[in-house]
Amino acid sequence: MATLALLLVTAVPAKAAGFNLAIDHASQPPDPPATLTGTMKNGQVKVPRANFVFPTKTTEVTNGLEATVDLSANKDITGRFNEATGELTLGFDLKATVQALDQTCVIDPIRASLSTRYGKPYLGVPFSDGTGGQGALSGHWEDLPAPTGGMVCQIVGQLTTGPGGIWMAHGLSEPRKCEDDPTHPGCDESNPCANSPCDPKLSISVSPKSKAVKAGKSAVLKVMVKNSGDGAASGARICAKVPRKKAQTPKCFKVSVPAHKSLTRKFRIKVKKKASGSFKATFKVTTPGFPPKAAKATIKVLRKKT
């Protein structure tokens, strides 16, 4: 397996709505770092293509033949970061410009999903202490497009034939492989999501849709979350929102919903004694990096006749 580059990632703790990664090549400073600067909202990461800056790197193609490599992004880099679990996934669509012997070779596109949960070519490692702590992204491909350009590109093409990949890490000096830890989720060959994007797909429903309850009493509603996607929804939260003047807001549930499974949680909504009329209770499930889903129920308040 050919590895395009061994990269050490220095992750800068993100400010509010900010996302920053500074990537160092395997060589030591003063080799300038590559940088990804973007935004993060509700776990969803977006790095504009212009904000992927990859300074020119020098590498050895074959014995005695050195080349310079420049990478640029064809599209915005998107992904997700789950702060609860440390899982980070980024999707790349890149173009590599390789210059050797005064000839220019272009490899385009280089498409790869990099994740802390993948195991090829090396093991990904969750950023359990946040993006400023230790962690690693791994990604692979079965093949890359042949380089276009002059005669020397046939030699450069030896790097693009067959399976290959990228490993990016912060705080880790040496990558590990599946033989070092066969229990790593990225080493499960029977799991179709082990080394390729498999996302959860959540839906939420509530029953009953309408509930009558006496003032000062509680209404019990069942909320079901279904995951019809191929990936587990880890670090999810189910919360209820009600008017504060009419009811007490119940506590949220932290859940993990496996792929193609569903779960149910009961919400007990205490109606205040002075409440009257009716109101909406909104139930929402959120998973870091994915759009929230919501469902609503109507609660009608019954009062004693005077």
Side-chain angles (χ1 to χ4, degrees):
M1 175 179 287
T3 302
L4 180 65
L6 176 64
L7 303 175
L8 301 179
V9 176
T10 300
V12 180
K15 298 179 180 179
F19 180 84
N20 301 278
L21 288 176
I23 304 172
D24 284 339
H25 192 268
S27 59
Q28 298 296 318
D31 190 31
T35 57
L36 294 90
T37 306
T39 58
M40 184 172 70
K41 184 177 181 181
N42 296 326
Q44 298 184 67
V45 176
K46 181 177 181 180
V47 177
R49 54 178 295 193
N51 287 6
F52 174 71
V53 180
F54 188 91
T56 301
K57 306 294 180 181
T58 301
T59 187
E60 187 176 49
V61 179
T62 61
N63 292 336
L65 177 61
E66 285 193 343
T68 59
V69 180
D70 290 280
L71 286 179
S72 60
N74 293 322
K75 299 178 180 179
D76 293 346
I77 298 166
T78 58
R80 57 188 180 275
F81 180 57
N82 187 329
E83 293 180 286
T85 63
E87 183 179 298
L88 174 64
T89 300
L90 296 174
F92 290 83
D93 186 328
L94 306 175
K95 178 177 74 173
T97 303
V98 182
Q99 291 188 319
L101 299 179
D102 295 325
Q103 296 183 30
T104 300
C105 309
V106 176
I107 307 170
D108 185 28
I110 300 174
R111 296 192 178 103
S113 173
L114 275 62
S115 178
T116 55
R117 69 171 182 251
Y118 296 164
K120 293 182 180 180
Y122 302 104
L123 302 184
V125 180
F127 291 89
S128 300
D129 296 324
T131 53
Q134 291 186 343
L137 291 165
S138 180
H140 84 289
W141 53 79
E142 293 303 319
D143 206 350
L144 289 178
T148 59
M151 291 294 295
V152 75
C153 298
Q154 296 181 13
I155 301 175
V156 175
Q158 297 175 10
L159 297 178
T160 67
T161 302
I166 297 178
W167 187 75
M168 298 182 180
H170 173 238
L172 301 171
S173 59
E174 301 246 346
R176 303 178 71 208
K177 295 185 177 182
C178 283
E179 48 261 42
D180 300 318
D181 182 10
T183 64
H184 189 283
C187 302
D188 183 1
E189 295 295 338
S190 65
N191 180 6
C193 305
N195 284 286
S196 60
C198 279
D199 295 332
K201 185 178 180 180
L202 298 183
S203 60
I204 184 173
S205 59
V206 56
S207 64
K209 295 284 187 181
S210 180
K211 181 79 171 182
V213 60
K214 294 180 179 179
K217 300 297 182 179
S218 296
V220 178
L221 301 173
K222 292 182 179 180
V223 176
M224 185 178 74
V225 175
K226 182 179 180 180
N227 181 5
S228 58
D230 295 324
S234 56
R237 286 168 59 89
I238 310 172
C239 296
K241 183 179 181 181
V242 295
R244 292 183 178 181
K245 291 183 178 180
K246 295 193 175 185
Q248 296 179 4
T249 302
K251 293 182 179 180
C252 297
F253 289 98
K254 294 182 180 180
V255 298
S256 180
V257 191
H260 304 290
K261 299 290 184 181
S262 61
L263 56 79
T264 301
R265 294 292 183 268
K266 291 182 180 180
F267 279 84
R268 186 177 297 274
I269 298 176
K270 178 67 179 295
V271 177
K272 294 184 176 181
K273 293 181 179 180
K274 295 183 179 181
S276 60
S278 61
F279 61 88
K280 295 287 186 181
T282 302
F283 301 89
K284 184 180 293 186
V285 58
T286 57
T287 307
F290 297 94
K293 299 294 182 179
K296 294 183 178 181
T298 300
I299 297 178
K300 182 179 180 182
V301 182
L302 303 177
R303 300 195 62 84
K304 292 181 179 179
K305 295 181 179 180
T306 57

